[in-house]
Amino acid sequence: MISKMTKYSFILLSGDKESFLEKLGALGLVDIVRSAKPVDERSSQLLSETDSLRKAIDILEKADGIAEGSISTSDPKADVYAAVDEIDAAKAALDKAEQDCKRILPWGEFQPEKISALERSGCKVRFYEVAKKQFKESWNEFAPVTVISDDGVKVRFVTASDAASDYNFPVPGIPAPEMSGKEALAAKGLCEDRLKTATEKLLCLKSSLPALKSSYKKSLVDLDRYLAATTSESAAEETLCIYTGFAPTENDSQLKEAFESMEDVFFLREDATVEDRPPISLKNNKFTRMFTVLTDMYGRPEYNGFDPTPYISVFFMLFFAFCMGDAGYGLVLIGLGLLLRKAKGFASFAPLVVTLGVATTVIGFLFHTFFSMDIAEWEIFAPVKGVFLPSKIAGYDGTMVLAILVGILHICLALIVKTVYATKNHGFLGSLGTWGWTLLIVGGVIVGGLSLGGVLDAAVTKWIVIAIGILSALGIFFLNDLHRNPLINVGAGLWETYNTATGLLGDVLSYLRLYALGLAGAMLGFAFNDLGAKVLGDGAILNWVFFILIVLIGHVLNMAMAVLGAFVHPLRLNFLEFFKNSGYEGGARIYDPLKNTAEEENE
């Protein structure tokens, strides 16, 4: 499956480029390319406007709560920032009010005016706050002490004395509370109301999101067009360093948070399109991932194409096993794959070799061949002879018939895949020609199979074939391009019919190579077995030595040639027959994220 990609544009104004690239490398997720554009007053204005719009949109999208109304505004961006400033100011005032309450409430209810009146009459009231363990009753000797509160941690008390007399207390005093507890709570309530009002205003501004997003998109277009139109020849002394990168959309949240934390980096984010030609990352399971190396030999799909790896994984494995066709060789491949797990530089291929070995063993068993010996003749396998492939099917060699049937299935699947993705990319009406050929070939194969199997009688088969022919002809000859002259459509349909009729038979017959390669390997192996048996003769010790050498060397050479053929020809069947009939086009760039090499090696 082709991973959906997000396009990122990073803009650095004389920033630390090496540091920026190092941070991207640490993330290990961004496939990056670089270009340069000049900086001038216009580009700076566009950058600033785009960035402020993006931040305003983020603010509204992150605002929690449901708005109880909406606000009509001619400048939503300015109102958003004004609301944010008001919220920040309200939060700061509320924080101060909460600190005031925490400081004042323990002193209880009193009237600061009365304290001032006492001081005017010559009585000085002083306030103290000390740790519980520091407080001492003996302080009454200095001045009358009145404890206001004791919460077990701190003791708050006051002293009263003649303002004119000498006064020397063991601990320093603190300023008198500037208001009563009731007044502090009232001030806190006002701050809470102010914050609530500012927050509700911001929530009401959410109705402006569509307008802000529209302005943001227009700003992006203006910036992109301006930078595209500006050439380096007209550059100012300072240049604008632009990096374009791509990363899987599934990592958007992680990357957005990381990029926002980078200083002096402005970034734009948008969904990648086919026109952007993003690098291709294939997301497959553990089994199909082993065959990605085969897909890369041909080229990765275009962004709007399909990932052929799941199809290659099944059919390459099946074709490889067909070409080998020997359970003994399959067991040897399994052993080699297990040994490769410990070989430095080849361990990554071990799972693929083991998988191909298992498939070869299974197919070889069904073909009842073990080191070119027919195990159907062995008494030990008599109970399971029913699962062996019959030597003849409808009077023809069973392996040959099976190779042709698998080839027809492979081509039919390719046509179905082509139709699905043609419909996805061009719509149903834009792909009627493709639908016509798929209906004709795949539908014809299905109806033919059901008829030969006795499921459909001759009369029903006749009418179904007529219906398929009529519908297919409409798509192939008249509706292959709705925007084209009908006569041109007919001509194009006739030309495509000629190409398909001459090419399809050749494509199907190409799969006979599976039968031919398997047969050649079996015959050559049988020849070595027969030669060894003749050398063995009466079973003398020296004869045994020559027998083992002949059989061992012979099968090693035969297996080496079989493996080569079993790799090349199944690859050809996938790259030519399947890719041609499915409309697959490769050549896209492989997703290769920037990484810090040193960190990778440490891992």
Side-chain angles (χ1 to χ4, degrees):
M1 182 176 69
I2 300 174
S3 297
K4 186 178 180 182
M5 305 295 284
T6 299
K7 178 183 176 182
Y8 294 91
S9 296
F10 306 96
I11 303 176
L12 286 74
L13 282 170
S14 301
D16 189 344
K17 301 169 188 176
E18 293 301 323
S19 175
F20 170 68
L21 293 176
E22 185 176 349
K23 290 176 182 178
L24 288 186
L27 292 171
L29 293 171
V30 183
D31 187 311
I32 198 100
V33 293
R34 179 182 172 183
S35 60
K37 298 291 180 184
V39 177
D40 55 21
E41 184 179 355
R42 175 60 176 160
S43 63
S44 296
Q45 291 174 349
L46 288 171
L47 280 170
S48 177
E49 176 67 14
T50 304
D51 190 34
S52 63
L53 284 168
R54 178 180 64 83
K55 289 179 179 178
I57 292 170
D58 287 344
I59 289 169
L60 288 180
E61 288 181 336
K62 291 177 181 179
D64 293 329
I66 301 175
E68 296 182 357
S70 61
I71 296 177
S72 179
T73 172
S74 59
D75 191 354
K77 182 187 70 173
D79 287 345
V80 168
Y81 282 110
V84 170
D85 290 341
E86 176 62 17
I87 288 173
D88 290 340
K91 285 181 177 179
L94 179 59
D95 183 62
K96 182 179 182 303
E98 288 175 344
Q99 294 297 323
D100 289 342
C101 286
K102 185 178 179 181
R103 176 173 53 83
I104 294 171
L105 288 177
W107 292 100
E109 291 299 326
F110 70 95
Q111 296 178 349
E113 297 81 5
K114 292 186 176 181
I115 300 297
S116 300
L118 286 172
E119 291 183 346
R120 285 195 298 271
S121 65
C123 180
K124 179 66 174 177
V125 179
R126 297 176 175 86
F127 292 76
Y128 298 90
E129 182 180 70
V130 297
K132 171 74 172 178
K133 62 181 181 180
Q134 188 181 359
F135 180 74
K136 297 177 182 177
E137 295 290 343
S138 60
W139 287 346
N140 276 293
E141 298 175 0
F142 297 94
V145 172
T146 302
V147 176
I148 304 300
S149 67
D150 182 352
D151 58 13
V153 178
K154 290 185 177 181
V155 177
R156 298 167 185 85
F157 62 93
V158 298
T159 63
S161 63
D162 186 353
S165 63
D166 293 335
Y167 185 85
N168 186 15
F169 206 77
V171 293
I174 63 173
E178 63 275 16
M179 67 182 79
S180 67
K182 185 180 294 185
E183 291 172 332
L185 289 173
K188 178 184 174 185
L190 290 175
C191 291
E192 289 174 341
D193 291 341
R194 178 184 176 187
L195 178 60
K196 181 180 178 181
T197 301
T199 303
E200 288 177 349
K201 180 180 179 181
L202 182 64
L203 291 174
C204 289
L205 285 168
K206 277 192 168 185
S207 60
S208 302
L209 264 175
L212 281 172
K213 288 181 177 180
S214 177
S215 298
Y216 176 63
K217 290 180 180 179
K218 183 180 181 302
S219 180
L220 285 176
V221 171
D222 292 343
L223 176 62
D224 188 53
R225 287 179 177 174
Y226 181 78
L227 293 177
T230 310
T231 60
S232 57
E233 284 74 13
S234 61
E237 293 183 0
E238 193 177 19
T239 59
L240 188 75
C241 192
I242 300 176
Y243 294 89
T244 300
F246 298 89
T249 302
E250 62 189 36
N251 302 118
D252 275 0
S253 298
Q254 175 187 351
L255 291 176
K256 182 174 181 290
E257 182 179 352
F259 297 151
E260 287 179 344
S261 66
M262 296 181 185
E263 297 182 359
D264 300 325
V265 176
F266 171 74
F267 75 95
L268 306 175
R269 182 183 64 174
E270 57 186 313
D271 291 338
T273 63
V274 178
E275 291 73 20
D276 293 324
R277 297 190 62 81
I280 303 301
S281 174
L282 302 180
K283 188 176 182 181
N284 292 307
N285 58 38
K286 187 175 181 180
F287 170 72
T288 55
R289 197 158 46 241
M290 294 185 295
F291 297 86
T292 303
V293 62
L294 303 181
T295 300
D296 290 342
M297 287 182 181
Y298 188 91
R300 293 214 171 174
E302 296 296 331
Y303 193 54
N304 62 339
F306 68 94
D307 179 9
T309 311
Y311 310 104
I312 291 177
S313 63
V314 174
F315 283 97
F316 179 85
M317 180 181 66
L318 181 62
F319 296 162
F320 183 94
F322 257 84
C323 292
M324 297 294 291
D326 193 296
Y329 290 174
L331 293 175
V332 174
L333 284 174
I334 293 173
L336 288 174
L338 295 176
L339 291 176
L340 283 176
R341 295 169 60 183
K342 299 181 180 180
K344 187 176 181 180
F346 296 94
S348 60
F349 295 102
L352 179 60
V353 174
V354 171
T355 301
L356 295 176
V358 171
T360 301
T361 302
V362 173
I363 296 298
F365 178 77
L366 296 178
F367 288 176
H368 45 89
T369 304
F370 185 80
F371 288 110
S372 300
M373 295 180 286
D374 188 357
I375 60 176
E377 300 174 355
W378 296 5
E379 192 65 29
I380 189 174
F381 291 109
V384 294
K385 281 187 177 181
V387 302
F388 291 155
L389 181 72
S391 58
K392 295 291 182 179
I393 297 177
Y396 298 96
D397 187 283
T399 309
M400 182 181 71
V401 173
L402 188 59
I404 293 294
L405 291 177
V406 169
I408 293 173
L409 173 64
H410 199 214
I411 291 175
C412 286
L413 179 62
L415 291 170
I416 292 172
V417 171
K418 179 180 182 179
T419 304
V420 169
Y421 280 90
T423 305
K424 176 183 175 182
N425 292 328
H426 307 294
F428 177 72
L429 295 178
S431 57
L432 289 175
T434 305
W435 274 97
W437 281 113
T438 302
L439 178 63
L440 180 65
I441 298 171
V442 178
V445 168
I446 294 174
V447 171
L450 294 176
S451 180
L452 291 174
V455 178
L456 299 176
D457 59 31
V460 174
T461 300
K462 173 184 175 182
W463 286 109
I464 293 178
V465 169
I466 292 174
I468 289 176
I470 293 173
L471 292 174
S472 299
L474 288 173
I476 294 170
F477 295 107
F478 301 103
L479 304 175
N480 50 53
D481 191 336
L482 299 178
H483 305 288
R484 196 163 53 186
N485 187 299
L487 293 177
I488 297 178
N489 280 346
V490 173
L494 289 171
W495 176 249
E496 192 172 358
T497 300
Y498 169 76
N499 290 330
T500 303
T502 55
L504 196 60
L505 180 61
D507 291 344
V508 173
L509 293 179
S510 290
Y511 291 86
L512 282 174
R513 70 187 66 241
L514 301 175
Y515 159 70
L517 288 169
L519 179 63
M523 295 300 293
L524 188 57
F526 174 79
F528 284 117
N529 289 345
D530 187 55
L531 180 61
K534 290 179 179 179
V535 170
L536 182 60
D538 57 1
I541 295 178
L542 187 59
N543 291 355
W544 273 104
V545 172
F546 285 113
F547 167 77
I548 292 173
L549 287 175
I550 289 172
V551 172
L552 182 61
I553 294 174
H555 278 290
V556 167
L557 292 174
N558 186 38
M559 184 176 173
M561 291 187 291
V563 167
L564 180 61
F567 178 80
V568 173
H569 290 281
L571 208 59
R572 179 193 182 281
L573 291 174
N574 279 283
F575 284 179
L576 292 184
E577 274 64 36
F578 184 82
F579 282 2
K580 178 181 70 175
N581 287 288
S582 66
Y584 177 78
E585 295 182 3
R589 187 163 61 89
I590 297 175
Y591 169 63
D592 184 21
L594 183 68
K595 295 181 179 180
N596 293 335
T597 306
E599 292 182 7
E600 285 188 299
E601 293 174 352
N602 291 337
E603 292 175 2

